[in-house]
Amino acid sequence: MSHDYPHLKLLIGGEWTPPHGQSDGREHEPVMNPASGVCLGVLPHASKADLDRALDAAEKAFPVWRGMSPQDRGKILKRAADLMHERAEHIARIATIEEGKTIHEARMETHISADTLEWYAEEGRRAYGRVLPQRTPGVRMTVMREPVGPVAAFAPWNFPVGNPCRKLGAALAAGCPCIMKPAEQTPASALEVARALMDAGLPKGVMSIVFGVPSQVSTHLLASPVIRKVSFTGSTRIGKQLMKLAADGMKRTTMELGGHAPVIVFDDVDVEHVLDLSAAAKFRNAGQVCVSPTRYYVHEKIYKQFVDGFAARARDWPVGDGLIEANKMGPLAHSLRLNAMEELLTDARKHGAHFDAGGSRIPGPGYFWEPTVLSEAPNEARIMNEEPFGPVAIINPFSDFDAVIKQANRLPYGLAAYAFTRSNRTVNLLGEQIEAGMIGINSYLISVRDSPFGGVKESGHGSEEGMEGLEACLVTKFVTES
Ligand code: NAD
């Protein structure tokens, strides 16, 4: 057990439980530090009775919370954001020791997540309806926007502060209570977000935070008529399961699922500059990012320089415990990710992919994987079809524009895509032809608070952040009066 790691609790209807951080007879599981493999603490699982109490609290809190003005709700979100900024160093340290990412990334994530709450604090007041032009004298027709109702939210481990803030920010700003199940691998980060909201004055019952066996928690919550919306971030496989559960109760869904982002690099770019940006984007959070650049298609004229340059950067990339400031990449977040990487890379080797850098687990304690660069991987290799969710860049050459667009769009995924070129005409064609929810041209920065974040095809539907994020927690009501 670690002394600088908080006691883990559930938050049910405004009460932290069990009060002294023991599991009180509940099922529980250990939380590990992925950099050392050492146990950080013990996480209590919510019992069915806990989940029912959370549902009951959400149902009772709904009229209270939706009845508050958006300005007053916004004040609480803003205060929570301020608290998160103040506590950023403490929260970032927790995020690093339970997820593995570097402390620099964790600090940035904490401040950006606080900004997300702040942004929603403002946006909540813009849930505008409209009055339709009059057809008959004395008859008024109004379109109103109202909170959808209690939201069940499932947040993954890769952005342990950011994912909870996106989900809570949208629901709370819209006037919806939220029961959130953050990832069991990274509970304390989410609990710190919850603590900031409670300290900021969030009324009891508006938010509950539960943990458990994910399929059991989601099945229980989604079976309840109290829940009116489901928000999930995670794999496409689980997203489809939750869609099926949601269908039974005709619940609305926002699904932010997997990706396999293509990056097209044309021959008119400053190659070394694109390489610097690419290595930093690829090895961010050890590649465990849904919009991580993965399939590089590089023009044949600059292909060799690009592969050699990426491999050289990968070999020199400082990997180690994320708490050590000099490190630029930490471990994979949990031990199962090591097995997933092992399987994908063994298969890639079998299919004749060239290993230009890395490709193996780093021996010693912790779940470290070498920054890896592959080239000439055929489309038949699993890694060209399944999201690696690890620090692997795969680089293949291209010469023809139409052919590379076909490759970029080949997979059922459509989350992020990137391209580097100086040609305006190429930029316009890419914008028209690439099938993705977000496209970064000459940049990997595609996620900002006021822009919609979401995918198309099997990468999901609906957006988080931007006005679309608020919109997703509202329903439309038409009222006519004469
Ligand atoms: P996973 O699919 O088992 O879990 C992903 C997340 O979904 C976890 O947070 C987990 O708690 C949750 N989850 C799993 N089953 C659930 C259920 N039945 N009900 C509710 N929540 C459930 O896989 P993993 O090994 O943890 O992550 C690997 C894969 O997940 C990656 O390859 C990637 O595709 C995907 N993933 C995507 C994102 C993203 O940002 N889109 C984030 C994390 C993981």
Side-chain angles (χ1 to χ4, degrees), residues 120-139:
Y120 275 121
E122 291 293 323
E123 191 63 7
R125 66 180 67 190
R126 282 185 273 279
Y128 300 130
R130 62 190 192 275
V131 177
L132 302 188
Q134 203 178 42
R135 285 174 166 240
T136 314
V139 175

Side-chain angles (χ1 to χ4, degrees), residues 59-82:
E59 187 173 27
K60 291 199 175 103
F62 185 35
V64 178
W65 187 239
R66 72 179 290 180
M68 276 175 76
S69 70
Q71 287 78 359
D72 286 342
R73 292 197 296 258
K75 279 181 198 156
I76 295 172
L77 287 171
K78 171 74 171 74
R79 266 201 297 274
D82 292 343

Side-chain angles (χ1 to χ4, degrees), residues 28-279:
H28 53 270
E29 67 180 290
V31 179
M32 313 301 277
N33 179 341
S36 61
V38 166
C39 177
L40 290 166
V42 172
L43 179 67
H45 283 189
S47 62
K48 282 192 175 162
D50 289 327
L51 296 178
D52 286 337
R53 279 196 294 129
L55 286 164
D56 190 47
E59 187 173 27
K60 291 199 175 103
F62 185 35
V64 178
W65 187 239
R66 72 179 290 180
M68 276 175 76
S69 70
Q71 287 78 359
D72 286 342
R73 292 197 296 258
K75 279 181 198 156
I76 295 172
L77 287 171
K78 171 74 171 74
R79 266 201 297 274
D82 292 343
L83 288 172
M84 284 183 59
H85 284 304
E86 277 169 30
R87 301 172 184 176
E89 196 56 32
H90 171 69
I91 299 174
R93 209 181 146 79
I94 287 174
T96 291
I97 62 176
E98 62 182 12
E99 200 269 351
K101 65 179 58 188
T102 66
I103 189 74
H104 305 284
E105 289 180 57
R107 283 184 193 122
M108 208 186 307
E109 178 179 340
T110 305
H111 287 297
I112 289 173
S113 307
D115 287 348
T116 297
L117 292 186
E118 187 169 342
W119 191 82
Y120 275 121
E122 291 293 323
E123 191 63 7
R125 66 180 67 190
R126 282 185 273 279
Y128 300 130
R130 62 190 192 275
V131 177
L132 302 188
Q134 203 178 42
R135 285 174 166 240
T136 314
V139 175
R140 175 161 321 159
M141 294 178 292
T142 313
V143 179
M144 290 158 62
R145 307 290 286 137
E146 296 186 336
V148 59
V151 175
F154 302 91
W157 40 264
N158 59 340
F159 287 90
V161 185
N163 284 314
C165 282
R166 275 185 175 175
K167 297 194 185 302
L168 288 166
L172 298 179
C176 304
C178 184
I179 303 176
M180 187 170 66
K181 190 202 78 58
E184 284 65 29
Q185 293 88 348
T186 55
S189 305
L191 289 170
E192 286 303 310
V193 173
R195 200 178 303 282
L197 281 158
M198 294 307 288
D199 291 350
L202 191 71
K204 285 187 172 186
V206 172
M207 169 183 65
S208 289
I209 308 288
V210 297
F211 299 97
V213 176
S215 58
Q216 291 173 7
V217 176
S218 53
T219 304
H220 193 91
L221 293 180
L222 269 60
S224 166
V226 170
I227 298 300
R228 296 310 324 149
K229 181 188 162 83
V230 182
S231 173
F232 174 71
T233 300
S235 62
T236 297
R237 184 176 66 84
I238 304 291
K240 287 179 182 178
Q241 288 174 16
L242 294 187
M243 289 275 296
K244 287 179 188 151
L245 291 178
D248 279 341
M250 202 51 80
K251 299 176 202 302
R252 287 161 194 253
T253 53
T254 294
M255 292 285 154
E256 207 271 272
L257 308 177
H260 204 296
V263 187
I264 308 176
V265 186
F266 291 84
D267 61 351
D268 58 352
V269 297
D270 173 346
V271 177
E272 295 303 317
H273 176 62
V274 176
L275 278 167
D276 287 341
L277 296 181
S278 298

